[in-house]
Each structure stands twice: as C-alpha cells, then as structure tokens.
Amino acid sequence: MSRNRPIRMFAAEETGAILVFWAMALAMVLGLVALSFDIGRVAATQSELQSYADHVALAAAGELDGRTDSITRAQGAAAALIRDRQTFGLGGQALSSADFTLDFFATLPGSDNTALPPAPNPNQPVPEKAVYARVTLTPKTVPYTFGAALQVLTGTARVDPNVGATAVAGFTQYACDITPMMFCIPDPTFDADNPATIGDLIRLRSGGNGAAWGPGNFGFLEPSTLALDASGNCAGSGGTGPTLRCVLGAVGNITQCFAVRGVDTEPGQKVGITNDALNTRFDMWSGAMKSEKNNPVFAPAPNVIKGIEPKSGGACNWNNPQPTTDTAALPRDDCFGGCAPYGDGTWTTGRATYVATNYGGTDPHPSAATRYQYYLAEIAAAGGGGATTPILSGLSETGRPMCSPNQSADPDRRVIIAAGINCDPNNGGTQIQGRSAGVPVHQMVKMFITEPVVANGQTNGLDIYAEIIGRADSPGAGSVGSGALFHDVVQLYR
C-alpha cells in the first residue's frame, strides 16, 4: 500500500466542505453586522447634531426683527433656549453654545448650490439688517468599535470619523391690514415706541416729482395686485384710482400683507385721491367722494371735531371749508412754526386754546396726555363710539358726523398704520424716487390724524398732520379698535 494514499484520499474527501464556506460567510456576516453598528452610531450622532443645529438656528432667527438689539437677543436665544444631547460623539454629551459658532447674514445666494463663506461670516451685517442666522457645529469624533478591530486585522491605520452639522434659518415678518402708505423717518434711531416719541406730531408732506425724499415725506406702497381689497369693504372695486381711493377712505384697512423686509413704493402723488379719501373720516365729502356720503362703507369717525364748517350754501361739499368761530381742531405742537416736520409732543399752548374754544376754558379731560388720548376721552364721555350723543353742545360742531347718516363705532377710524422708512442713503437708508422695490421697513408706525388733510400751497402738495401712537406691532400701540396683523415667519433655508 502506497504511503501517499491517505493523503490522496484526504484531498479527495468532500465531506464537511460546506462547513468551511459557512464559517467564512458567518465571519463576513458578523463583520457586516458589527460595521453596521458603527455606521449606525455615526448616523445617530449626525442626526442629533443636525437636529440641534436646526433648533438653534430657528431660535436665533426668531429674534432678527430689525431692531438694534436683534443680534444680541438672537445670541441669547441660541445660548439659552435650546437644550440637547449627543450620545456617541466624544466631547461630552450635553450640547451648549460652546459647541457651535453663530453668525448672521443680510442676504443669501440665489442658489443653494452656492456655498456660504466659512464661519464666522466676514461681512456680518448690522443688527437692523440681519435676516438669516447660521449655526455651525464643531465636529464630533465618533470612535469606531468593531471597525477599529477590522482596521487592526487588515493592518490599516485607525481612522475615526468626524461628524458635524450646519443650519441656516431666516426671519420674515408680514404686516397685514395696514394703510398702504409709507413715510420717511427723521433718522435711523427713530423708535415709535420710545416714550419720548409717543405723542410727537408729524407733518407728512407729499413727496416726489423726482426730488430726493426727506424726513416727513410720504408716499404709497404698491400692493402685489390691483385687487387691493379682495375680501374687505372695497371688494370688487377696479382700477388703480378708484381702488386706492376706496382703500384709503373705507372703514377698515387693506386686506393684503406686505413683507416688512422689503416693500415696493408706488410712484405718483395721488394728491386728490388722498385728500378726498382720508377726509371721509372727518365727515368731509369732496371730489369723487361726494357721492359716497350715504355709503356706510365710508362711515366717518365717532369724533370729527375739526374747527371748520362747509362754505355757506355748499352743504357738506367741503370744497371751500370755512373756519368756525366757536370750535377748534386738536392743535399742532407748540414748536411747529420752526420744528416741522417732526414735533416734540408739547402742545400746552394749543391745548389751552382748544379747551377755551371748545369747552369754555375748563379742561374736561386733564389726565389725557396726548391728543389721541384726549380724542378717546371725548368719545367715552359722550357715550362711546356707537353713541350719537353730542360731544360738544351749543356750538357749530357737535363732534359727531353731521353730513353722513352713518358713524363708525371704531375710534381708530382716524388712525393710519404706515411704513416708516429710512430714506437717507448716506445713513444706511434707501433713496426713494418714485417706484422703488424691496425697500426695508424700519418700523410700522401707528398714527392718529389730528386734523383734516389740507393742500399746502405747493404744486400737487398736501399735508397730513398725525400724532405718533406707537409701533403697530407692539401690544401697547393703542387701546381700542382693530389694528394691523403681524405674522412672524421663521423657517430653515439650508
């Protein structure tokens, strides 16, 4: 018997061969399972970090409302409002402000494929122009467990993956149900909520004809469509002229929203439209509004004291109003002979004249500090907004509408909400000349019209005298009536 026969028999033997392949396959399967465990740890860390970045960016962006302290508040919100943890990455499990870089942008590239500059943004905007917040997390190392063993077995250098995350969120505010008007603020520090500003009188003078606009000039906002009031009192009116006249003159505000970050200004003076439309609030009927005197859509305010009456024989026409001898309109600031267009809120001398003329010298509302408060007190003393009880007795005016059979129950009928815009291009503003697109709004301002709109003697010029009540988006801006609606939209962009 040959000595090589057992070797040949062993080599030819096939019993148990499948066990070898099974062992090899089992090793591969176990290796894949182990590797998937490591990959799952990396994916879980990525998900945790991205979730944290998203929430921090949204918290920060929600504070970017265009105020001077917006970035400071955004940094505080990012650091304090969001709590999270990461499970597998090195560097501690609790995530905090030490784990991310926060920076800000005024604009983003038009395409998401365009990369942003590395953090921190080298061209960070001033707080008033910050719109977007970016959060960049410091990458976390996720140590491989089974993968490390595989690297050792294969003789390769150990490499543990780093996992990071980034998120960009932005803030947009929409102002709805406002008067489609804008005006130039005195300077970039203007704040309608400042106690020193509330009660100041502004002379809003029609601007335009190609000239550079300055403080106090006013114009109009261009709605996105000509259907300015699709569901409000002006529904169905057509054409720029009639529609704008209705929107400016009708009870209630325009049922359309404007993006506060960028409104479009509309060219043209529209002096006749503005005069006729706004004066319906004072029970004055001129031009195309004469035929609307009996229309409840244009009901006057519950208090229309104005110190003038129709020209004799022209009942309620108001083309040539005459001053009364026994009533007076709410006065302008005492300094207005030299401080216009922006007053200082002091009307002591004018108030004494108003009280002497309308009330015989005894002030019935001594606690009313502003003209708006005085106006409201007069309405309340006469029985509220819906009452017909005279405000003034035995005088040329009753204080109630005398031409129109209708009377609005809303005291804010003499309130407008206009976009305050920085029109000084040399001081961070936008030069306004007719039509301008995407103009940022400094503040939406709530103002009380103190007297009828009048022609100012200039070519196509008129003046609106209005007292500052406050920011329209502040809870305390006014005490009654329907105001603007503000919608804050915070969303992720990247």
Side-chain angles (χ1 to χ4, degrees):
M1 182 175 181
S2 173
R3 295 180 180 179
N4 294 326
R5 183 177 178 186
I7 298 176
R8 289 196 301 270
M9 292 177 61
F10 177 79
E13 179 64 53
E14 296 182 355
T15 303
I18 192 64
L19 182 62
V20 176
F21 289 104
W22 183 87
M24 294 175 60
L26 179 61
M28 294 180 62
V29 169
L30 292 177
L32 289 175
V33 171
L35 190 59
S36 67
F37 174 79
D38 283 341
I39 294 174
R41 285 159 49 92
V42 172
T45 303
Q46 171 68 55
S47 178
E48 289 172 339
L49 296 182
Q50 188 62 59
S51 176
Y52 182 61
D54 290 347
H55 284 88
V56 171
L58 289 169
E63 303 295 332
L64 300 180
D65 54 5
R67 303 194 187 193
T68 56
D69 63 343
S70 63
I71 286 182
T72 300
R73 286 186 284 109
Q75 292 168 334
L81 294 183
I82 306 300
R83 294 285 184 270
D84 207 340
R85 299 171 62 85
Q86 59 88 18
T87 306
F88 301 111
L90 295 178
Q93 294 190 356
L95 295 170
S96 68
S97 58
D99 295 295
F100 63 79
T101 299
L102 178 65
D103 56 1
F104 303 90
F105 295 85
T107 61
L108 295 179
S111 172
D112 287 345
N113 295 324
T114 303
L116 293 172
N121 178 21
N123 299 310
Q124 185 150 300
V126 297
E128 295 87 340
K129 295 185 179 296
V131 179
Y132 304 96
R134 177 178 65 177
V135 174
T136 305
L137 263 65
T138 303
K140 298 288 184 179
T141 299
V142 183
Y144 276 153
T145 301
F146 296 99
L150 180 63
Q151 290 171 340
V152 171
L153 290 175
T154 57
T156 57
R158 175 166 179 167
V159 177
D160 293 320
N162 290 325
V163 179
T166 184
V168 178
F171 176 96
T172 302
Q173 185 180 66
Y174 292 92
C176 308
D177 293 349
I178 67 168
T179 314
M181 297 177 65
M182 55 75 61
F183 72 99
C184 297
I185 59 176
D187 60 71
T189 65
F190 172 80
D191 183 7
D193 262 357
N194 187 332
T197 302
I198 294 173
D200 289 358
L201 195 70
I202 309 177
R203 183 193 67 201
L204 301 176
R205 173 159 289 178
S206 53
N209 293 331
W213 288 32
N217 285 139
F218 81 88
F220 298 92
L221 303 181
E222 183 176 37
S224 60
T225 67
L226 290 180
L228 297 182
D229 204 35
S231 61
N233 275 338
C234 295
S237 59
T240 303
T243 303
L244 182 59
R245 181 175 286 113
C246 180
V247 168
L248 291 178
V251 174
N253 296 314
I254 179 173
T255 58
Q256 183 164 339
C257 298
F258 296 85
V260 174
R261 292 292 185 180
V263 297
D264 297 340
T265 62
E266 187 172 343
Q269 297 305 295
K270 304 175 178 65
V271 170
I273 295 174
T274 307
N275 193 337
D276 297 340
L278 289 180
N279 279 343
T280 61
R281 304 165 189 244
F282 287 90
D283 194 34
M284 298 174 66
W285 309 92
S286 302
M289 302 307 298
K290 289 190 293 185
S291 61
E292 303 291 352
K293 181 179 66 176
N294 297 321
N295 189 343
V297 167
F298 300 98
N303 183 346
V304 295
I305 297 175
K306 49 192 172 291
I308 56 178
E309 58 185 347
K311 183 178 180 180
S312 178
C316 297
N317 190 332
W318 293 103
N319 288 329
N320 296 290
Q322 302 294 305
T324 68
T325 58
D326 57 0
T327 63
L330 285 167
R332 300 170 189 176
D333 284 354
D334 296 341
C335 69
F336 240 62
C339 65
Y342 282 86
D344 58 8
T346 300
W347 54 297
T348 305
T349 301
R351 179 174 184 149
T353 301
Y354 183 84
V355 171
T357 304
N358 294 346
Y359 295 103
T362 301
D363 194 338
H365 310 296
S367 63
T370 67
R371 280 153 287 220
Y372 179 60
Q373 292 171 349
Y374 208 100
Y375 160 84
L376 296 177
E378 289 178 323
I379 295 172
T388 58
T389 305
I391 296 172
L392 303 177
S393 300
L395 304 177
S396 299
E397 296 185 84
T398 67
R400 302 295 193 179
M402 300 172 68
C403 293
S404 172
N406 304 298
Q407 174 182 294
S408 173
D410 185 1
D412 274 4
R413 181 75 172 104
R414 279 173 56 179
V415 170
I416 59 175
I417 298 172
I421 290 174
N422 180 5
C423 303
D424 184 0
N426 297 319
N427 205 359
T430 304
Q431 184 171 349
I432 303 296
Q433 286 184 322
R435 185 186 301 274
S436 299
V439 180
V441 176
H442 178 76
Q443 289 181 351
M444 286 290 180
V445 183
K446 195 171 184 179
M447 296 180 284
F448 166 62
I449 304 176
T450 59
E451 61 184 77
V453 180
V454 295
N456 57 28
Q458 302 182 14
T459 303
N460 291 326
L462 59 82
D463 292 341
I464 302 173
Y465 289 89
E467 181 184 74
I468 296 173
I469 299 175
R471 284 185 62 145
D473 58 347
S474 296
S479 56
V480 295
S482 57
L485 299 176
F486 288 84
H487 301 284
D488 294 343
V489 179
V490 182
Q491 65 185 65
L492 290 169
Y493 287 87
R494 293 192 176 191

